[in-house]
Amino acid sequence: MHIGDSIIEKLLRKKDISDAQIAKLRDLAVSEKKLLQDVVLKNKVISEDDLTKLYAAEIEVPLAKINPTDIKKEDLRLLPERIARQYRAVVFGVDNGVKLVAMEDPDDVQARNFLQHQLGHNIHIHITTTSLLQTALDQYRDNVGSDLTKVIPTVDEVEEIEEVDE
């Protein structure tokens, strides 16, 4: 998620962070050549969860506290991994034909338009934390790994096959 500096400052003010503290964080971001958002999170001024909640309220998008391990393979596969990683989004469920999509940055109009083109207009966009989204994206690899273990025999199975052939 990349939140603009002005929005970060606005969100911090909602958490009663003073203008002086915000100025120090802004200066630190400049000196470290980092985004203000990264400096705020690194210095634990606000948690990733709280920042995402505030941002969700600001842009009026529902927050999804997804459990990446509960995402069904068939839902995950509705969006190819390459596209999911590029647009930082995953389908985390389907409810009465509506595809539930969790995104890192639902304010990304280009990503939303592409996802609607890819998945159809029957989607409902949510925001989620960067860490939950990354874990959900990792499910693509986990699912591939579990599928491969069903196809590729283990060493023990190969040895049993060789013993039978002899």
Side-chain angles (χ1 to χ4, degrees), residues 2 72 105 124 144:
H2 172 67
K72 296 177 186 170
D105 187 4
H124 189 60
V144 168

Side-chain angles (χ1 to χ4, degrees), residues 44-105:
K44 299 179 182 357
V45 174
I46 187 171
S47 72
E48 180 187 35
D49 282 347
D50 286 344
L51 182 62
T52 305
K53 284 178 196 171
L54 287 169
Y55 187 49
E58 181 70 23
I59 62 173
E60 299 178 350
V61 172
L63 176 68
K65 287 286 236 171
I66 58 176
N67 183 346
T69 57
D70 288 344
I71 299 173
K72 296 177 186 170
K73 286 182 190 180
E74 59 268 16
D75 293 341
L76 194 65
R77 290 181 179 153
L78 290 171
L79 198 59
E81 179 181 6
R82 174 183 58 79
I83 292 169
R85 288 187 184 282
Q86 179 178 351
Y87 291 105
R88 307 287 298 160
V90 294
V91 176
F92 67 94
V94 179
D95 184 22
N96 292 324
V98 177
K99 296 167 189 88
L100 306 175
V101 179
M103 295 181 69
E104 187 177 61
D105 187 4

